Amino acid sequence: MKVISSLEDAKSFIKDYKSERKISLIPTMGNLHIGHMKLIKSASSSSVKVVSIYVNELQFNDKNDYSNYPRTLVDDLSLCEDNNVDLVFTPKSSEVGNHISGDKNDLPKFTSYMCGSKRPGHFSGVYKIVKFLFEIIQPDMAYFGKKDFQQLLLIKYIASTYFPKLKIIDINTVRDRDNIALSSRLCRISPESFDKVKLIFETLQSMKKRLQKGIDYNIVKERTLLELINRDISVEYLDLRSLYTLNELKNINDQCGIFIACYIDHVRLIDNIEI
Ligand code: PAF
């Protein structure tokens, strides 16, 4: 396994393989967990597997969140080694900055909803780093989790607009035995608060059931918000939305999902369920 930081070295590594084998890219911000392992394992075994590790300051609207983001490079590298990764790309922020400066940023409308409205600059930061990674690594396939569903739609937009040959492969959210969606942020939650974290997906499941029974959306949403507030969970958004446009809906159809962002122990967590 190679670990490369320089853009020129990464480009020449890719050039050596590009004509013989397909390239799979798994972009990450490190602190790798079982969810990332699933992305890495899903990548075709005949392809050159590239994992990028870069804590992208541009996508953090909150400076504390950026400085508290767990950085665990040594462990991450050994997990990559154990999972047959060929290249770990750890670009330097100075080189990333030079490369993306002046990039135009044509964010589609749906990025202004949900996380987009609550985290100014977040999707612009994601857009820039992901486009940068696609330009440098030139992957044939790139793997992303469905937990960050809005991000996934943005990445599909970037791929279809600028990298039409690139296949974006979405991978189901990995959950623990309590159905908690795995996230690097969970390590900042106190053990006593894990019962609250469990409630996130339970809430989505019970909302889904109530909506499928035909109960009015506004009533279901209001009751659910009350239940969460009573459990001391601060909800940022809880919406029924189209899986394609992310437009808010008032009635379910077969192409929609429920999306949530909330704070537990001051840690922001997101999740979603398809209907
Ligand atoms: O999902 C993430 O870990 C990040 O948003 C990504 C896609 C690696 C871009 O920094």
Side-chain angles (χ1 to χ4, degrees):
M1 185 180 85
K2 276 247 185 210
V3 182
I4 292 179
S5 290
S6 124
L7 296 200
E8 281 320 307
D9 292 350
K11 280 187 200 161
S12 91
F13 177 96
I14 296 299
K15 202 168 157 219
D16 289 346
Y17 286 99
K18 188 78 184 155
S19 57
E20 297 156 24
R21 285 163 69 191
K22 296 226 185 271
I23 312 276
S24 291
L25 173 65
I26 301 101
T28 81
M29 296 203 295
N31 192 233
L32 303 183
H33 52 65
I34 297 170
H36 296 109
M37 291 308 117
K38 184 160 173 206
L39 301 182
I40 296 172
K41 287 192 170 114
S42 304
S44 150
S45 54
S46 59
S47 66
V48 178
K49 292 193 190 191
V50 181
V51 170
S52 64
I53 298 182
Y54 181 71
V55 185
N56 174 29
E57 186 169 4
L58 292 176
Q59 70 187 74
F60 287 83
N61 55 307
D62 174 349
K63 291 237 171 323
N64 278 337
D65 198 18
Y66 172 68
S67 34
N68 289 332
Y69 199 85
R71 287 149 172 95
T72 52
L73 187 61
V74 173
D75 292 346
D76 293 347
L77 292 181
S78 72
L79 274 172
C80 287
E81 182 104 62
D82 293 347
N83 283 278
N84 304 318
V85 170
D86 298 290
L87 167 65
V88 180
F89 178 43
T90 55
K92 295 189 207 88
S93 54
S94 53
E95 284 205 292
V96 175
N98 286 341
H99 188 94
I100 63 179
S101 71
D103 241 16
K104 87 170 195 278
N105 207 339
D106 54 330
L107 291 175
K109 186 162 177 243
F110 63 76
T111 59
S112 61
Y113 311 145
M114 302 197 293
C115 295
S117 73
K118 304 292 176 189
R119 303 184 66 190
H122 170 68
F123 285 120
S124 153
V126 170
Y127 177 105
K128 286 179 181 159
I129 191 67
V130 169
K131 195 155 168 277
F132 160 83
L133 291 168
F134 290 169
E135 277 162 4
I136 302 299
I137 304 297
Q138 298 176 44
D140 298 282
M141 289 90 67
Y143 296 75
F144 294 88
K146 280 186 171 183
K147 180 170 78 67
D148 297 299
F149 195 90
Q150 194 172 9
Q151 167 176 284
L152 178 64
L153 285 194
L154 172 60
I155 283 154
K156 286 183 174 170
Y157 166 80
I158 298 171
S160 64
T161 309
Y162 299 103
F163 308 91
K165 291 194 189 135
L166 166 60
K167 213 168 148 197
I168 302 299
I169 299 170
D170 41 79
I171 303 294
N172 284 338
T173 303
V174 180
R175 300 182 181 280
D176 71 4
R177 57 167 199 260
D178 290 323
N179 269 332
I180 294 175
L182 297 189
S183 156
S184 301
R185 291 169 187 218
L186 288 174
C187 66
R188 287 161 49 202
I189 306 253
S190 65
E192 307 81 62
S193 295
F194 264 79
D195 277 347
K196 287 188 199 166
V197 183
K198 246 164 61 176
L199 272 181
I200 299 176
F201 195 63
E202 280 173 20
T203 297
L204 294 178
Q205 284 174 311
S206 93
M207 262 186 97
K208 174 174 169 173
K209 271 196 204 136
R210 290 188 225 181
L211 292 172
Q212 283 174 330
K213 274 192 198 151
I215 306 176
D216 179 76
Y217 170 66
N218 289 324
I219 296 175
V220 172
K221 180 166 169 169
E222 209 172 300
R223 272 193 214 152
T224 309
L225 286 173
L226 212 62
E227 283 159 17
L228 292 171
I229 290 166
N230 286 339
R231 295 297 302 268
D232 208 18
I233 296 175
S234 145
V235 180
E236 199 175 72
Y237 62 76
L238 176 67
D239 295 338
L240 177 70
R241 289 186 180 261
S242 153
L243 294 178
Y244 296 98
T245 60
L246 291 184
N247 287 337
E248 194 167 9
L249 304 170
K250 295 284 171 206
N251 295 296
I252 56 169
N253 59 42
D254 55 3
Q255 293 173 342
C256 67
I258 309 170
F259 298 84
I260 186 169
C262 61
Y263 283 87
I264 294 175
D265 280 0
H266 304 291
V267 178
R268 189 175 184 277
L269 297 170
I270 60 170
D271 204 350
N272 62 74
I273 194 168
E274 289 176 32
I275 295 203

